Amino acid sequence: MLHKFKKIDYNIVFILVILMVISILSIYSTTFGRPRWESYPQRAGIFYIIGFIVFFGMSMINYKVIIKNYLYIYGGGLLLLVIVNFFGVTYYGAQGWLSIFGLSLQPAELFKLCLIVFLSALLARKKNRPLLFGRDVIPIALCVLPPLLLVLLQNDLGNALSYVVILVGLLWIGNVKFSHALIGFIIAVAAFIAGTQAYVHYHDQITKFLQDIGRAHWADRFDPWLVPDQTSRDVLWQTYNAKLAIGSGGISGKGYMEGTTIQSNRVPLAYADSIFVQIGEEFGFVGASVLLLLYFILIHRLVLIALECKDRAGPYLIVGIISMLLYQIFVNIGPFIGLMPLTGITLPFISFGGTSLVLNMLSMGVVMSIKVHTEENEDILGSSEQLSITELIMRLFKRKPSQQEQS
């Protein structure tokens, strides 16, 4: 056990400790003097203690155990998404939380890692052979469709889109043909341009449609980004004050707990989704840059571990986790600098949120497990037959034990 602890990348541990300090200080600043949230800094510290226990615990477990049980992990995550659609608690317009013994659990967050494990196991079985569009890409994309639809039913657009980003990242490293990737990129760009233009030109009709299907708050998120001139003051309140706060921070910021916009509570959810605004106002461009640099160093360390990994599944897991983190960082910060609409995604390792933090720490534990156990070359992914994703999925339902399992 001791030799495993020696293999841990303590550069990553050091970065996580710095992010913990930033998180607790930021949450304290955004909740100071507000009795409703005064316990949040202490709770954030407890979540981090749990997170580090999960991190080190997962580091000691061979990650091939979770790869071997990928079907059960995917099925269990999917079951939680189904349950939350019937018994979920609604917060901020999304029915995405389960209340268990007084604690809130968000299955849509947890399913990100379940999806990464499932897709990584399927792609690793291809042994880096090119992915065929009809036999590989389409079937694996269809595996993402059920959780995507379930999370959309929960009114959680941000987490639903994260599944698509994870899929794209894993397909890219999974050796998808360049021509297919290029066609997909062109279609995505064309759809984005057409969609934004259609939203602007048919704004009233689209808004009415969203109201009719119970998704009116989606329009409240897109309007400040695409049609600010047609948006009410109430809808603009969060993004307007966020940009004002970040801009007023200047180069070095106004000082810790001296941010006038944050301290006057003019930015909603400043301790959670909007916590980057506090960093931008109180620590300025320098503080925001330091935070982004920490993210860059963290992701760079993850890439190095992926390059050193001798197993097939390890790099897929790491690329899926990197895709998840990059999406969360960009989608959280983007709305506050005018790059995209609000989606309600937490800032990794910084925002207040137990499920999100523990998931991210668990993900780092998976990466560390890959580093610790990378020299163990046992192949648990089955035979060397050249099977398509379609055939692999079909075998899930009529699976025979492999020779290794029989022995």
Side-chain angles (χ1 to χ4, degrees):
M1 182 69 72
L2 184 60
H3 75 281
K4 290 185 178 181
F5 275 100
K6 291 180 179 179
K7 292 182 179 180
I8 287 177
D9 187 337
Y10 285 98
N11 293 303
I12 290 180
V13 176
F14 180 65
I15 292 171
L16 293 177
V17 170
I18 294 176
L19 291 174
M20 176 187 69
V21 173
I22 294 173
S23 174
I24 294 175
L25 289 177
S26 295
I27 293 170
Y28 181 80
S29 176
T30 55
T31 58
F32 179 76
R34 302 171 179 86
R36 180 181 175 184
W37 304 312
E38 63 182 359
S39 66
Y40 280 20
Q42 293 87 346
R43 290 173 62 185
I46 293 172
F47 289 143
Y48 251 109
I49 292 172
I50 296 172
F52 273 110
I53 293 173
V54 169
F55 169 78
F56 284 108
M58 185 64 234
S59 300
M60 298 300 105
I61 300 172
N62 193 326
Y63 69 98
K64 293 174 184 178
V65 173
I66 65 173
I67 284 292
K68 187 174 182 179
N69 294 283
Y70 68 102
L71 181 59
Y72 302 109
I73 291 172
Y74 176 83
L78 205 59
L79 179 62
L80 282 176
L81 291 180
V82 172
I83 292 173
V84 79
N85 274 282
F86 290 98
F87 305 104
V89 179
T90 301
Y91 292 113
Y92 310 114
Q95 184 183 331
W97 283 263
L98 290 174
S99 182
I100 303 175
F101 302 112
L103 298 175
S104 294
L105 175 70
Q106 191 176 10
E109 285 278 358
L110 292 176
F111 190 80
K112 294 174 187 176
L113 189 56
C114 297
L115 184 64
I116 290 170
V117 171
F118 179 74
L119 297 182
S120 297
L122 285 180
L123 289 170
R125 287 173 177 265
K126 290 291 294 179
K127 298 182 183 291
N128 206 34
R129 289 185 287 268
L131 298 178
L132 302 176
F133 185 76
R135 298 177 63 192
D136 297 320
V137 177
I138 294 297
I140 204 169
L142 289 176
C143 292
V144 182
L145 188 60
L148 179 70
L149 295 177
L150 286 170
V151 175
L152 283 176
L153 287 174
Q154 297 170 18
N155 234 352
D156 191 349
L157 180 61
N159 277 319
L161 291 177
S162 70
Y163 301 161
V164 178
V165 173
I166 290 169
L167 171 65
V168 171
L170 284 172
L171 284 177
W172 178 256
I173 193 179
N175 204 15
V176 67
K177 290 185 177 180
F178 179 76
S179 58
H180 293 163
L182 181 61
I183 292 171
F185 176 75
I186 293 173
I187 292 174
V189 171
F192 173 78
I193 295 173
T196 53
Q197 291 301 312
Y199 189 89
V200 173
H201 288 92
Y202 301 100
H203 175 259
D204 293 340
Q205 296 92 322
I206 293 175
T207 300
K208 185 179 184 305
F209 172 74
L210 292 175
Q211 290 173 345
D212 293 340
I213 63 173
R215 300 293 187 271
H217 72 286
W218 287 8
D220 292 342
R221 293 180 175 180
F222 281 99
D223 285 357
W225 178 50
L226 294 175
V227 287
D229 295 339
Q230 303 177 39
T231 307
S232 68
R233 182 182 179 87
D234 291 340
V235 173
L236 280 172
W237 180 261
Q238 184 171 4
T239 53
Y240 173 80
N241 284 316
K243 292 177 184 177
L244 184 66
I246 293 173
S248 66
I251 298 296
S252 57
K254 297 179 178 178
Y256 182 58
M257 297 187 69
E258 297 295 331
T260 52
T261 306
I262 288 294
Q263 298 305 322
S264 60
N265 202 26
R266 282 182 283 170
V267 178
L269 299 174
Y271 58 88
D273 302 344
S274 307
I275 202 163
F276 180 77
V277 180
Q278 179 269 339
I279 295 172
E281 182 178 31
E282 297 185 357
F283 297 98
F285 176 79
V286 173
S289 298
V290 168
L291 177 62
L292 294 178
L293 179 61
L294 288 171
Y295 282 135
F296 175 82
I297 296 172
L298 177 63
I299 291 171
H300 178 254
R301 299 301 304 178
L302 300 187
V303 172
L304 291 179
I305 293 173
L307 293 175
E308 295 171 357
C309 183
K310 299 177 182 179
D311 180 63
R312 285 179 284 136
Y316 288 112
L317 286 169
I318 295 176
V319 169
I321 291 169
I322 290 173
S323 300
M324 175 184 73
L325 291 176
L326 287 176
Y327 169 81
Q328 290 181 248
I329 294 167
F330 180 75
V331 171
N332 178 274
I333 296 175
F336 304 125
I337 54 178
L339 294 179
M340 61 185 308
L342 283 167
T343 54
I345 292 291
T346 55
L347 188 61
F349 306 106
I350 303 297
S351 295
F352 178 83
T355 305
S356 175
L357 177 59
V358 173
L359 166 72
N360 289 327
M361 294 296 284
L362 177 61
S363 299
M364 292 299 101
V366 171
V367 174
M368 208 54 58
S369 174
I370 294 170
K371 184 179 187 306
V372 170
H373 300 93
T374 188
E375 294 180 0
E376 300 176 19
N377 290 318
E378 178 192 3
D379 186 359
I380 62 170
L381 292 174
S383 69
S384 58
E385 298 176 77
Q386 295 191 19
L387 301 177
S388 68
I389 295 295
T390 303
E391 292 165 327
L392 288 171
I393 293 173
M394 290 178 65
R395 282 198 172 190
L396 295 178
F397 300 97
K398 50 180 181 181
R399 186 170 178 268
K400 297 180 180 179
S402 65
Q403 291 181 353
Q404 288 184 357
E405 290 173 328
Q406 288 176 340
S407 62

